Amino acid sequence: MAIDFTLPPDIEEVRRRVRSFIDGEVAPVERELEGAPRDEWVRAIGRLRQRAREEGLWNPHLPPEWGGMGLRPVAMAFVQAEAARAGIGPFVLNCQAPDEPNMQTLLHWGTDEQKERYLRPLAEGRVRSCFAMTEPEVAGSDPTLIQTRAVLEGDYWVLNGHKWFASGARGASFAIVIACTDPDADPPQARNSAFIVDIPTEGWELVRTIATMAGEGNHGEIRLNNVRVPASNMLGPRGQGHLLGQYRLGPARLAHCMRWIGQAEVALEMLVDRALNRFAHGSYLAEKQAIQWMIAESAMELYTAKLMVLHAAYKIERGLPFRQEVAMAKVHVANTLWRVVDRAIQVHGALGYSTDTPLERWLRHARAARIVDGADEVHMQYIARHVIETFKEKGKVKSALGDLM
């Protein structure tokens, strides 16, 4: 079987269009708005979203009947990486987290009524959404421990619990909430169900937007106090909240990886540009071996990251098992992002440590990459367990290594 790493002409054409749009229109606006008030950002993103529609780059992840471009996972890998060359790029194309994975979840799991009521306005960019699963009292990496309870009372489910790092909570018109409906279910993975909760609604309390080392992102702490949800707002079958979460988070993890690759590539370009133009101790930085090694290590790590993400996307697109590949990509790309941005700061020296470039902000955000969507250690435990189980079953490890060669 021939292995062809060239992109089909239609995907390459989309990639080039996205690159041109992001570099030519979105990134310059982002640079101009640095430090501007939030309302100026909102207005600018609104104008750029209209331009994305005009350029035919809106909703790349959704099928045409939902106003999208109908791109599949491999093509989306390139689109997300190109979009992330600007921080607001995914928002401009309407493929940002948590809305993009929420749209995919509604498309796959929602009833016709749920799709029209919640997916339609989200796809049209008229509303934003939230995803609430993690809780402060229990380990976020083990959803079987979720304590938020949902009890059926007539035609309503009554939800009580405590969530935090609920993505997109501030300003969302609805949330997908994971709650325990069957605490004694066996296996434990059947304990949880998913619900669509309208915002605002009685009993839904946004306690605060959580401040982090990267500033105050839109991560909410939520109290649910006797929140009544119509039975028709259960998303997917009862007891399948875990499956829904895995369906959502698998491709979502890969989407994060795609965006991290785009950002890391920009950081490497900044590193190289600085090295070519900064003169010290008799030569340009680019001529010094220590700097060349930084460039080489970053290039190798990004090359590996791209291959891992593309192979995982390939497996998702063809309906093949992909969890092992996504787990490996998630760990590798998250760490690559940190290392490449850190090297870029080092080469920029005092300038890199200042707020005059976006590098210091990118590094603070990059630290979260090793935690969000599953901590490194949890993914590595799964990876190792799968390798061990494969060897026990087959006496070989090939199929646990991407099933390549």
Side-chain angles (χ1 to χ4, degrees):
M1 180 185 71
I3 299 176
D4 185 0
F5 287 97
T6 59
L7 288 177
D10 56 335
I11 296 179
E12 174 62 15
E13 191 264 340
V14 169
R15 187 197 67 78
R16 290 180 181 276
R17 286 169 54 206
V18 175
R19 168 70 70 100
S20 177
F21 179 61
I22 296 296
D23 286 357
E25 298 192 41
V26 180
V29 171
E30 186 171 70
R31 289 192 292 269
E32 292 171 6
L33 287 174
E34 188 69 34
R38 184 176 182 276
D39 59 342
E40 291 188 29
W41 282 91
V42 172
R43 287 195 293 270
I45 291 174
R47 291 192 296 269
L48 288 168
R49 283 185 147 204
Q50 182 56 40
R51 285 287 300 127
R53 290 184 176 93
E54 294 168 359
E55 292 293 322
L57 299 175
W58 183 255
N59 283 340
H61 55 289
L62 288 179
E65 60 266 29
W66 289 96
M69 299 173 66
L71 300 185
R72 301 184 70 191
V74 171
M76 278 303 301
F78 290 93
V79 169
Q80 289 280 20
E82 296 292 352
R85 291 178 63 84
I88 60 174
F91 289 89
V92 171
L93 304 187
N94 203 35
C95 60
Q96 72 284 351
D99 296 324
E100 184 263 341
N102 281 352
M103 285 186 248
Q104 298 282 16
T105 303
L106 286 163
L107 186 65
H108 180 80
W109 294 81
T111 64
D112 290 342
E113 181 182 354
Q114 289 170 346
K115 290 176 184 178
E116 284 300 326
R117 183 171 177 181
Y118 298 104
L119 175 58
R120 183 71 67 186
L122 201 56
E124 293 175 353
R126 294 188 282 115
V127 303
R128 291 189 294 103
S129 63
C130 166
F131 184 73
M133 181 173 71
T134 305
E135 300 178 355
E137 293 84 6
V138 295
S141 59
D142 186 354
T144 66
L145 300 177
I146 282 176
Q147 295 181 354
T148 297
R149 293 289 185 264
V151 178
L152 186 61
E153 294 184 0
D155 294 331
Y156 288 84
W157 287 91
V158 180
L159 276 59
N160 283 280
H162 186 197
K163 299 288 186 181
W164 78 333
F165 281 87
S167 305
R170 186 185 63 235
S173 68
F174 69 91
I176 296 176
V177 178
I178 306 299
C180 179
T181 51
D182 301 276
D184 299 321
D186 186 20
Q189 287 76 12
R191 293 173 181 172
N192 302 327
S193 301
F195 299 89
I196 305 173
V197 179
D198 290 300
I199 305 174
T201 193
E202 186 175 354
W204 175 277
E205 178 190 1
L206 175 58
V207 178
R208 60 173 173 145
T209 299
I210 300 167
T212 72
M213 65 186 294
E216 190 178 277
N218 195 359
H219 305 294
E221 179 180 1
I222 308 295
R223 292 280 185 184
L224 296 98
N225 302 299
N226 293 318
V227 173
R228 295 177 65 82
V229 179
S232 60
N233 272 31
M234 179 178 279
L235 181 58
R238 178 171 177 168
Q240 292 198 12
H242 185 85
L243 290 176
L244 181 146
Q246 290 302 314
Y247 172 86
R248 181 188 183 278
L249 289 174
R253 290 182 180 116
L254 203 62
H256 274 309
C257 290
M258 300 164 192
R259 290 188 283 265
W260 293 336
I261 286 172
Q263 189 177 85
E265 188 166 302
V266 174
L268 178 56
E269 290 169 357
M270 293 176 66
L271 187 163
V272 175
D273 182 67
R274 176 74 168 182
L276 288 170
N277 290 284
R278 192 68 165 179
F279 187 90
H281 302 288
S283 65
Y284 286 99
L285 296 184
E287 299 171 13
K288 302 181 187 300
Q289 186 182 63
I291 307 302
Q292 292 172 351
W293 283 10
M294 290 185 186
I295 294 170
E297 288 173 341
S298 299
M300 290 186 291
E301 289 165 0
L302 274 169
Y303 175 49
T304 304
K306 290 183 177 185
L307 290 177
M308 293 175 80
V309 166
L310 286 175
H311 186 233
Y314 168 90
K315 298 197 79 172
I316 291 173
E317 188 164 304
R318 281 156 181 77
L320 301 171
F322 60 81
R323 187 176 173 189
Q324 177 82 341
E325 289 75 16
V326 169
M328 290 191 287
K330 198 274 177 183
V331 174
H332 176 77
V333 179
N335 284 272
T336 293
L337 174 65
W338 173 270
R339 287 191 292 264
V340 174
V341 174
D342 181 67
R343 292 178 191 128
I345 289 174
Q346 191 71 13
V347 172
H348 279 75
L351 176 61
Y353 189 65
S354 77
T355 60
D356 288 358
T357 78
L359 291 171
E360 60 83 28
R361 171 167 50 86
W362 291 354
L363 190 71
R364 287 186 283 114
H365 281 279
R367 186 59 187 86
R370 291 171 52 203
I371 300 172
V372 298
D373 286 348
D376 282 2
E377 293 75 16
V378 175
H379 287 295
M380 291 173 72
Q381 183 182 40
Y382 172 80
I383 293 165
R385 187 167 64 244
H386 186 57
V387 172
I388 293 168
E389 290 172 353
T390 299
F391 181 79
K392 285 181 176 179
E393 179 184 346
K394 302 178 180 179
K396 300 176 182 178
V397 298
K398 174 176 174 287
S399 62
L401 310 178
D403 205 20
L404 298 169
M405 301 176 65

